[in-house]
């Protein structure tokens, strides 16, 4: 009885086993299973690659969709934004006006940097705050920049002076990325604030007031010498006053006569973003303390101005009117506009304001930009906002760490988590990786028909033989071939070395001085490099059945490298990774040697243009990138020269080489 | 009847005896010093001194025997018991908030102005209990007495810098020598809960005498404030001095930015009555010779630029007030020369969480060469690279000006660094010391709850001791300063500001995940390795379904 | 390319690099030098020693007393001398590698010599640490010299070098097994034609005795130099107790940062014993080829030892140049390569993200060390598979090799 049951059970189990694992020897069935799987994967690989690519690109288009965003919130409980009663009143506004008069007189008789700094320092001294000035000068290939900063340290009562907050204003406003508009009201509001804030004993952190000369250079000189970091091409006087560790900083930018909206700029050098809590608490404060409408950057919120919302959302004219008026479209456009502005700063590693320079020392800082307008707001509003924000950051017991450091701020209330946008770039890089691996496997195998005696060996990869064989298997078979990687590796190294050389070239004084003259020859010279392998390497002697062709191997390795770089950069600086994916994705997957020589040369030339076109087409961009590298240590220029261009050149070489 | 009479006599005798003991064995003096400062601030310093005559500290060698019984009437009993229990010869405890600005305020009246808590004690060696055990007991007892977290002044912060912290009294001549224990806790905050037990130690509490002015609401609003307990052994006996220092800002308090002050305006109190048991009770006001001031009421006596009010022989409440009728709003002095012989600025450069550079800028304000000792007692959180210690004056290397006298390397999780050096400071020059330091990485259990804040590092201490001869004997260059400072009564400590170092933090929510993931990886590799090593290789023929065995590969 | 020409050229290039400002940048990099091999700490120890303070009284200095004595007396460490010494170490190591190759092939010289030397001198995992003047370069040099002597059958020299190496870094004592195995057999490649180990057991004890003698001698010398034995706890103790939790590419530091205090001793024991487990099985399985056993064991150490730097995996990877016969049988070479590529890019970037930029937390760097661990593990497994698989040779017809 029991035995019968057991037998039945065992029989059933046996059937199931044979169904799942197949009959016969376990090893054989296992290997067969593996081969079926790999064959399936191999067949679907091209489709998979295309799917991944398109998915990635579509995701990028979808990033501005409202469905992906979520509402912002304050994560750090200590902040308590907008919970305090502000004391800044019209007397302080009057004082700010007085300071402004003084500054305008200085501007009137266009005083030197030294005079201005001295004047400001004296004003601080009169308030009773120890102040000092700092001379500095940067020597760049474009020339020498020098100026004088003024700064003051108000050591707060009862505090040990181990922590500090920075309130700064640069002499030149960020309008037009520092086109020379003066930030007089910003400076005078900092002075008035110094006078006002000194009257209270509630500060737990020292207050450091900085009036930096120039647009970015002054603050760079000040902050680097504050942290004692030497910079080879910078000379700056050592600071005579010191304070503690700086956690947060506010930069006030108030160029116009008065303002209607308060804009927030937050991108830092090399794509570093401040902790989101800082931005969010500012939004809360502006909403509750001073009823000032606040916007991201200087982009007006289209919902405020229904009449011109389409234009505000940056929707082009050719879009049919019905769509232009559609709220969802407008919302999409508005978000896309913000995201593009953000990516524009982040990808180039550029700071969107003076605050960005503080980021390199782990200081979470933002710029309050008073969007110039006929009214209605002025010193009164900005004073209260800054006071309340400082009270909030003054509450901090720890460095800001709770909230996000990686995000897209698509609106004043909404943002994108990293998980919402990162996959787009990663998908594309995965596609590249698969393409590379496919090329690698192709390089390892060759289809050999009419094999009388199976001599070419198959090692443990013999599985691929069948999976690619399919029906033709009777007529011939796949055999392995050698994959000499040294030559392609050499070519890749050479291109990267060329990239380094290119970078060295464009940072030379003679190049920067006569850029228009030299751009074209340099471009020609380096794009010629991509054709060099044609002359150097004669078509390999050994037959393709014995050795993998060079372009195929090079293609495989280039794709793998590009994919790796993209996916890793995407964590550090998504915008840069996204632009890499956009620029490299399609060209690299399509790079393959054509059969006719002219076609090869043509494609090669095209790719060379993709690799080096910027040299000719965007001279201004090149100049700025070089300046950013030399003064602010922004990695964009070297990155493009040493990573992007070489990868593209490798693709060009792939195109040029004979198949 | 008779018994009643006897009883009366005994009672009378006993009372007499008690009074005589009280009168002869102990005396109590209190004093308040008020010092208007150059930058419009007002420095106040309360000092309550109790002297226990003819008594010596307890000898540690007799700790196992019963202590002879103590009769205190004025001397604070709670403190006295602690001192006897742990046989402490000399002890100094200070709890301060704020950063003393030597340049603008000159030397403090009480030297111990290190931010946070500082405790140092001289104790005799020998006896049944070791010095370290008694030190441990002492700091825990004081922690209980003053409601301060002195218990965390543990081995990881305790050093023995005997050169810098010399005993202020005299040490009894026992056959065993004395030892110093010193520890600082910069992150400790002083507040009302420390002041209340402090007041309890006073014979008149805060009910009469100058102690009436100790009003927490005002004291803890002062720009700088701190309390200190100083016990020392004089030949006369054991002296306990309770001190409270504060720096007020009348300009901030006044509506129209004037620097006028009065006891009422500053403390929101007046001295209504004197403390009956005090031998002397005085209020001293230091007068600024070079300004048109008016002081009310008229002081009991004026000697030089110091007005003195004797509280005891006053009947009506005392409310000292000082006014500058001449000036509208207070004008801050611009470009004023520093008041201290040395100005010191100590910062931690660099922003990485793995290493930094300690930079100390010391300016000698005197026209004479000064030699000064320099002390660092650093917790093991920060490790010095002594070989990178460099000194320069205006960019010119001058390593000859620094001589390291003692250095104790830190031991992770156990022992702090002790670094002592002698600096030679040429007249009127700025010496720049730099030294690379590396920040250690802690276990996640060693981080405080607010880990992202970082750790407060104790201040460095300088003692300018050897003032060289003025090369050119004219004091016109710096009126008075050199004469005033070149020959101080005894070396005086200068505390630098404290530092905040942020150490890299692990993710505190991760322990399980880390254990799981690391172990998974290790198990994965281990498993596959042993698969490869143990399992046999077989050759599988795929056309025929037969797996022909191949001998294990050996 | 001609070896006699290429080798000096490579070395000269290394020397030039070492005289640029690179070392000052890399000196304190956590991936290139651990607290036990850091140049700054070595300098600190020497300074303290010369100033008359006991360098072993505190935490910062954990180098061997022998290094201390050498650098405080005969060979002062300056910005001028250090590049020479470290380049010399690399040159010696590369030279030893070439000699091992020759001994293994039993030839006087070959076209491949240059490639072998280059695989060591141009390996970024090797030359970056030695640009950072990490003493792990010295350890690598010692390891390869001892292996070279072993291949040449000069047992005393080999054991002496090994004893020195063990004295500098304790975990290397595992190499004693394969090296003595190598001394008892021949250095030639038997991977393709494995044969059981002809037992000459009686000749083993003398070797072990000799090694022990050298080792004790070195310890005695060290103790004499210090005047006490605190150095033992400070140098070797560090490998077992992990007192310093400075990040490195290895698996230990974050594990014991996050470890609960009451489990710490247990897991320390587990991690240390886990290292021991591999030594004997590997030696038994690869008894026919001592060099290969050593190579694999180095791979194990590089993955699992307490304070690894990049130069430990570097040594393993460079040594793979000795076994071209295994290349066709590597299991997933491309996957391993990509893993290493990812890891070598992730490690510095995430380290910077965590400690300098402050936008990423410790988990970022921990994750990259996990990737690095996977890469090392994959390389190790590839090598082991290939080392066994090569014995079966190429397949005739539709066959496959499997394990059961």
């Amino acid at each position: 009885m029991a035995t019968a049951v057991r037998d039945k059970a065992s029989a059933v189990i046996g059937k199931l086993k044979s169904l799942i694992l197949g009959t016969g020897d376990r090893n054989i069935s296992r290997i067969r299973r593996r081969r079926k799987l790999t064959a399936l994967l191999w067949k679907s690989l091209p489709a998979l690659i295309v799917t991944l690519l398109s998915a990635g690109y579509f995701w990028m288009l979808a990033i501005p969709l409202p469905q992906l965003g979520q509402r912002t919130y304050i994560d750090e409980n200590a902040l308590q934004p907008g919970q305090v009663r502000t004391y800044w009143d019209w007397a302080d506004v009057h004082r700010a006006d007085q300071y402004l008069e003084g500054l305008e007189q200085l501007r009137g008789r266009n005083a030197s940097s030294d005079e201005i700094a001295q004047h400001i320092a004296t004003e601080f001294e009169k308030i009773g705050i120890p102040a000092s000035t700092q001379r500095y000068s940067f020597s760049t290939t474009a020339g020498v920049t020098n100026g004088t900063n003024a700064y003051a340290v108000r050591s707060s009562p009862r505090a040990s002076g181990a922590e500090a907050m920075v309130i700064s204003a640069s002499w030149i406003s960020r309008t037009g990325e520092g086109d020379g508009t003066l930030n007089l009201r910003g400076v005078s509001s900092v002075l008035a604030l110094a006078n006002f804030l000194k009257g209270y004993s509630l500060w737990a952190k020292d207050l450091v007031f900085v009036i930096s000369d120039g647009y970015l250079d002054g603050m760079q000189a000040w902050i680097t010498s504050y942290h004692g970091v030497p910079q080879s091409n910078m000379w700056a006087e050592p600071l005579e006053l010191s304070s503690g560790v700086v956690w947060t900083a506010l930069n006030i930018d108030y160029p116009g006569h008065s303002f209607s909206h308060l804009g927030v700029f937050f991108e830092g050098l090399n794509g570093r973003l401040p902790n989101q809590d800082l931005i969010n608490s500012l939004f809360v404060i502006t909403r509750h303390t001073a009823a000032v409408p606040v916007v991201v950057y200087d982009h007006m919120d289209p919902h405020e101005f229904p009449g011109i919302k389409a234009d505000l959302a940056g929707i082009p004219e050719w879009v049919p009117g019905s769509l232009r008026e559609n709220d969802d479209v407008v919302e999409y456009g508005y978000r896309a506009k913000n995201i593009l502005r953000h990516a524009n700063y982040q990808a180039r590693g550029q700071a969107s304001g003076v605050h960005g320079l503080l980021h390199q020392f782990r200081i979470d800082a933002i710029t309050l930009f008073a969007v110039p307008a006929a009214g209605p707001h002025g010193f009164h509003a900005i004073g209260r906002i800054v006071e309340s924000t400082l009270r909030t950051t003054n509450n901090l017991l720890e460095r800001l760490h709770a909230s996000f450091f990686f995000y897209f701020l698509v609106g004043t209330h909404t943002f994108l988590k990293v998980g919402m946008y990162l996959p787009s770039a990663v998908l594309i890089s995965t596609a590249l990786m698969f393409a590379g691996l496919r090329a690698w496997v192709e390089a390892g195998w060759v289809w050999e028909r009419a094999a009388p005696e199976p001599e070419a060996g198959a090692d443990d990869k013999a599985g691929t033989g069948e999976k690619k064989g399919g029906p033709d298997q009777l007529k011939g078979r796949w055999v392995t071939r050698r994959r000499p990687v040294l030559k392609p590796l050499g070519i890749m190294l050479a291109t990267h070395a060329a990239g380094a050389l290119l970078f060295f070239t464009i940072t030379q004084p003679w190049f920067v001085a006569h850029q228009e003259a030299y751009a074209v020859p340099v471009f020609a010279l380096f794009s010629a490099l991509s054709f060099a392998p044609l002359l150097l390497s004669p078509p390999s002697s050994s037959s393709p059945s014995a050795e993998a062709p060079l372009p195929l191997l090079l293609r495989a390795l280039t794709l793998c490298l590009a994919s790796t770089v993209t996916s890793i950069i995407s964590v550090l600086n998504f915008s840069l990774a996204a632009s890499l994916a956009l620029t490299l994705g399609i060209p690299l997957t399509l790079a393959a040697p054509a059969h006719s020589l002219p076609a090869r040369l043509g494609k090669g030339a095209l790719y060379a243009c993709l690799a080096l076109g910027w040299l000719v087409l965007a001279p201004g961009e090149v100049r700025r990138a070089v300046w950013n590298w030399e003064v602010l240590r922004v990695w964009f220029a070297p990155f493009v020269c040493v990573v992007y261009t070489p990868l593209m050149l490798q693709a060009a070489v792939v195109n040029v080489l004979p198949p | 009847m008779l018994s009643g009479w006897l009883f009366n006599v005994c009672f009378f005798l006993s009372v007499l005896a008690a009074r005589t003991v009280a009168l002869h064995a102990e005396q109590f003096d209190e004093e308040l010093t008020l010092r208007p400062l150059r930058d419009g601030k007002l420095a106040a310093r309360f000092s309550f001194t109790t002297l226990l005559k003819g008594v010596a500290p307890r000898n540690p060698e007799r700790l196992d025997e019963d202590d002879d019984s103590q009769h205190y009437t004025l001397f604070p009993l709670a403190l006295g018991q602690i001192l006897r229990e742990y046989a402490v010869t000399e002890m100094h405890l200070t709890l301060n908030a704020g950063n003393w600005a030597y340049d603008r305020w000159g030397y403090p009246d009480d030297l111990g102005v290190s931010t946070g808590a500082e405790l140092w004690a001289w104790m005799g060696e020998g006896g049944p209990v070791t010095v370290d055990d008694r030190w441990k007991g002492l700091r825990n007892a004081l922690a209980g007495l003053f409601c301060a977290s002195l218990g965390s002044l543990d081995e990881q912060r305790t050093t023995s810098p005997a050169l810098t912290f010399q005993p202020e009294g005299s040490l009894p001549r026992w056959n065993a020598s004395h030892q110093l224990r010193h520890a600082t806790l910069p992150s400790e905050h002083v507040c009302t809960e420390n002041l209340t037990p402090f007041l309890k130690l006073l014979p008149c509490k805060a009910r009469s005498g100058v102690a009436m002015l100790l009003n927490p609401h005002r004291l803890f609003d002062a720009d700088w404030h701190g309390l200190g307990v100083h016990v020392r052994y004089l030949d006369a006996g054991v002296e306990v001095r309770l001190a409270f220092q504060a720096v007020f800002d009348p300009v901030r308090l006044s509506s129209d930015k004037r620097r006028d002050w009065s006891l009422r305006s500053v403390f929101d109190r007046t001295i209504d009555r004197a403390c009956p048991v005090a031998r002397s009770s005085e209020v001293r006001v230091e007068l600024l010779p070079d300004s048109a001031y008016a002081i009310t009421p008229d002081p009991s006596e004026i000697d030089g630029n110091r007005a003195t009010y004797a509280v005891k022989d006053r009947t009506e409440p005392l409310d000292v007030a000082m006014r500058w009728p001449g000036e509208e709003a207070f004008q801050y002095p611009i470009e004023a020369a520093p008041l201290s012989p040395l100005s010191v600025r100590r910062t931690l450069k660099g922003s990485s969480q793995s290493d930094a550079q300690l930079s100390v800028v010391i300016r000698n304000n005197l026209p004479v060469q000064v030699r000064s000792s320099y002390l660092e007692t650093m917790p093991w959180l920060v490790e010095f690279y002594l070989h990178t210690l460099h000194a320069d004056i205006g960019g010119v290397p001058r390593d000859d000006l620094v001589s390291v006298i003692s250095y104790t390397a830190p031991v992770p999780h156990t022992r702090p660094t002790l670094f002592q050096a002698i600096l030679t400071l040429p007249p009127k020059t700025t010496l720049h010391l730099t030294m690379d330091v590396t920040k250690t990485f802690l276990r996640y259990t060693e981080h405080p709850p607010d880990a992202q804040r970082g750790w407060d590092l104790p201040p460095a201490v300088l003692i300018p001791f050897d003032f060289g001869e003025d090369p050119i004997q004219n004091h016109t260059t710096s009126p008075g300063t050199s004469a005033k400072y070149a020959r101080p009564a005894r070396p005086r400590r200068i505390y630098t500001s404290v530092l905040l170092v942020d150490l890299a933090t692990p993710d505190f929510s991760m322990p399980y995940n880390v254990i799981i993931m690391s172990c998974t990886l290790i198990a994965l590799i281990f498993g596959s390795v042993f698969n490869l090593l143990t399992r046999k290789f077989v050759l599988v023929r795929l056309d025929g379904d037969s797996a022909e065995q191949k001998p294990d590969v050996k | 390319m001609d070896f006699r020409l290429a080798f000096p050229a490579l070395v000269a290039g290394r020397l030039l690099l070492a005289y640029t400002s690179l070392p000052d940048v890399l000196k304190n990099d956590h991936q290139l030098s651990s607290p036990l091999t850091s140049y700054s700490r070595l300098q600190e120890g020497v300074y303290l020693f010369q100033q008359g303070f006991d360098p072993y009284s505190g935490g910062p200095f954990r180098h061997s007393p022998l290094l201390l004595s050498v650098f405080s007396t005969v060979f002062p460490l300056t910005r001028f001398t250090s590049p020479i010494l470290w380049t010399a170490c690399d040159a010696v190591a590369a030279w030893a590698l070439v000699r091992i190759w020759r001994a293994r092939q039993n030839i006087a010289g070959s076209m491949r010599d240059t490639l072998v030397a280059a695989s060591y001198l141009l390996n970024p995992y090797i030359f970056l640490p030695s640009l950072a003047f990490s003493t792990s370069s010295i350890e690598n040099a010692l390891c390869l010299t001892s292996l070279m002597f072993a291949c040449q059958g000069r047992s005393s020299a080999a054991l002496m070098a090994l004893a020195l190496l063990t004295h500098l870094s304790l975990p290397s004592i595992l190499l004693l097994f394969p090296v003595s195995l190598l001394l008892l057999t021949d250095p030639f490649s038997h991977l393709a034609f494995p044969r059981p180990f002809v037992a000459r057991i009686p000749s083993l004890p003398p070797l072990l005795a000799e090694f022990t003698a050298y080792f004790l001698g070195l310890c005695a010398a060290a103790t004499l130099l210090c005047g006490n034995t605190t150095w033992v706890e400070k140098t070797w103790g560090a490998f077992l107790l992990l007192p310093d939790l400075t990040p490195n590419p290895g698996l230990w530091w974050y594990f014991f940062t996050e470890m609960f205090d009451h489990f710490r001793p247990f897991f320390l024991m587990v991690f240390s014993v886990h290292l021991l487990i591999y030594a004997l099985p590997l030696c038994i399985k690869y008894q026919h080829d001592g060099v290969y056993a050593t190579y694999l064991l180095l791979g194990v150490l590089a993955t699992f030892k307490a304070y690894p730097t990049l130069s430990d995996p570097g040594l393993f990877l460079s040594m793979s140049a000795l076994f071209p016969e295994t290349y066709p049988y590597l299991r997933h070479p491309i996957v391993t390569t990509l893993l290493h590529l990812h890891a070598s890019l992730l490690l510095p970037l995430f380290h910077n993200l965590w400690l300098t930029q402050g936008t990423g937390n410790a988990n970022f760097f921990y994750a990259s060390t996990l990737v690095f661990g996977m890469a090392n593990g994959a390389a190790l497994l590839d090598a082991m598979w290939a080392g066994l698989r090569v014995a079966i040779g190429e397949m005739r017809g539709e066959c496959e090799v499997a394990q059961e």
Side-chain angles (χ1 to χ4, degrees), chain A residues 276-360:
Chain A
Q276 218 191 22
D277 272 339
L278 188 61
I279 305 172
N280 295 346
S281 35
L282 180 83
F283 288 157
V284 173
I285 286 164
T286 41
R287 222 171 297 126
H288 293 131
T289 307
V292 178
V294 56
V295 292
V296 184
Y297 310 112
D298 42 14
H299 297 167
M300 297 303 159
D301 188 345
H303 307 321
E304 262 186 75
F305 309 87
I308 51 168
K309 62 183 178 184
D311 309 326
L312 287 179
I315 298 172
E317 292 297 334
W318 48 263
V319 178
S322 57
L323 275 178
R324 296 196 74 205
E325 295 313 309
N326 180 331
D327 276 344
D328 297 342
V329 177
V330 167
E331 179 65 22
Y332 181 91
Y334 175 60
R335 289 175 177 231
K337 194 173 159 196
N338 289 337
I339 289 173
L340 285 177
R341 183 80 175 268
H342 170 82
N344 190 13
Y345 285 125
Q346 200 185 21
R348 291 183 299 166
Q350 203 181 0
S352 62
V354 174
H355 65 277
L357 307 182
L358 307 178
H359 286 196
Q360 51 189 330

Side-chain angles (χ1 to χ4, degrees), chain A residues 23-28 30-32 35 95 118 122 125-130 154-163 195 198-201 225-229 238-243 245 247 360-362 397-401, chain B residues 41 97-99 104 115 186 189 220-225 249 252 257 330-335 345-347 349-353 357 449-454 456 497-502 535 538 540-547:
Chain A
T23 52
D25 177 53
R26 262 188 39 251
N27 294 318
I28 295 177
R30 198 192 302 127
I31 291 166
R32 289 233 166 96
R35 290 189 172 189
R95 199 165 287 105
Q118 206 49 53
T122 327
E125 293 275 1
K126 281 187 197 155
I127 302 170
I129 304 177
R154 184 267 199 278
S155 52
S156 53
R158 301 181 298 173
S160 67
E163 305 159 44
N195 185 357
K198 188 178 184 301
Y200 297 90
S201 65
S225 30
Y226 186 88
H227 289 92
V229 177
L239 300 182
E240 288 168 4
L241 306 170
S242 66
S243 181
V245 179
W247 287 347
Q360 51 189 330
F361 298 100
R362 295 177 57 224
L397 303 171
E398 304 182 60
R399 191 183 282 274
L400 279 172
H401 65 282
Chain B
K41 297 195 168 48
N99 199 359
R104 277 174 288 140
T115 310
H189 294 293
F220 294 116
D221 182 51
D223 282 20
W224 189 97
H225 54 263
D249 189 355
R252 168 154 63 82
K257 298 231 187 294
F330 175 63
Q331 298 298 328
Y332 286 94
I334 297 180
E335 306 291 331
R345 236 173 47 237
R346 174 161 161 269
T347 47
K349 300 290 190 189
S351 71
S352 157
Q353 293 178 85
Q357 187 184 47
D450 54 350
Q452 302 289 341
R453 176 174 190 277
D456 290 283
S497 60
V498 301
L499 297 173
L500 185 72
V501 60
D502 47 356
R535 289 169 63 186
V538 294
V540 182
R541 185 167 299 283
L542 289 159
D543 33 22
D545 278 5
S546 70

Side-chain angles (χ1 to χ4, degrees), chain C residues 111-180:
Chain C
M111 293 307 297
R112 204 177 152 76
D113 291 356
T114 312
L115 196 62
V116 174
S119 75
Y120 189 89
L121 288 172
L122 295 185
N123 180 349
Y125 286 171
I126 296 283
F127 78 71
L128 285 176
S130 89
L131 278 183
F133 300 146
S134 149
T135 52
S136 53
S137 314
I138 303 178
E139 292 163 16
N140 284 356
L142 277 172
C143 176
L144 285 175
T145 5
S146 120
L147 209 53
M148 177 185 77
F149 286 134
C151 289
Q152 295 164 346
R154 297 161 58 183
S155 61
S156 311
L159 290 173
M160 185 64 208
L162 187 60
L164 253 172
L165 173 63
T166 315
H167 184 82
L168 293 191
S169 90
L170 193 59
S172 315
I173 198 162
L174 297 185
L175 297 179
L176 180 56
F177 301 97
V179 167
S180 43

Side-chain angles (χ1 to χ4, degrees), chain A residues 449-497:
Chain A
R449 46 181 73 256
E453 179 63 24
E455 74 290 314
D459 63 0
D460 62 318
K461 279 218 202 62
T464 42
E466 195 177 65
K467 79 185 173 213
K468 281 200 243 123
D472 321 350
Q473 197 176 5
L474 311 171
K475 291 202 252 34
R477 46 199 296 280
W478 288 93
V479 293
T480 49
R481 54 181 175 183
R482 291 193 291 106
R483 285 178 283 210
V485 291
L486 280 182
K487 200 184 265 181
L489 283 181
I491 293 179
M492 292 171 79
L493 277 179
T495 49
H496 286 283

Side-chain angles (χ1 to χ4, degrees), chain A residues 630-652:
Chain A
E630 285 178 331
V631 176
L632 309 177
R633 291 282 170 269
V634 173
W635 282 94
F636 183 60
F639 181 84
V640 170
C641 291
V642 181
V643 178
Y644 166 73
T645 304
L647 283 172
M648 216 36 130
L649 284 180
Q650 287 160 27

Side-chain angles (χ1 to χ4, degrees), chain C residues 3 6-15 82-100 113 116-118 120-122 126-127 130 137-138 140-142 144-145 148:
Chain C
F3 177 67
F7 188 68
L10 287 171
V11 174
R14 277 293 333 287
L15 192 61
S82 312
I84 298 175
L85 177 66
W86 264 266
T87 314
C89 283
D90 282 7
V92 169
W95 175 247
L97 201 64
V98 174
R99 296 295 294 276
I100 297 169
D113 291 356
V116 174
Y120 189 89
L121 288 172
L122 295 185
I126 296 283
F127 78 71
S130 89
S137 314
I138 303 178
N140 284 356
L142 277 172
L144 285 175
T145 5
M148 177 185 77

Side-chain angles (χ1 to χ4, degrees), chain C residues 264-317:
Chain C
R264 191 175 302 275
F266 170 72
F267 274 102
L268 280 171
M269 185 272 290
V270 169
F271 271 50
S272 306
V273 172
H274 168 246
L275 268 178
L276 296 175
I277 295 177
Y278 293 91
L280 272 179
L282 278 174
C283 291
I284 295 170
K285 190 75 175 183
Y286 295 88
Q287 55 188 276
H288 51 278
D289 198 326
V291 181
Y292 209 75
T294 324
Y295 164 66
L296 291 177
L297 208 51
L298 282 171
V300 171
L301 282 180
T303 320
F304 293 124
K305 84 182 223 188
Y307 284 102
T309 62
L310 285 187
S311 63
D312 296 298
L315 179 59
F316 176 70
L317 295 180

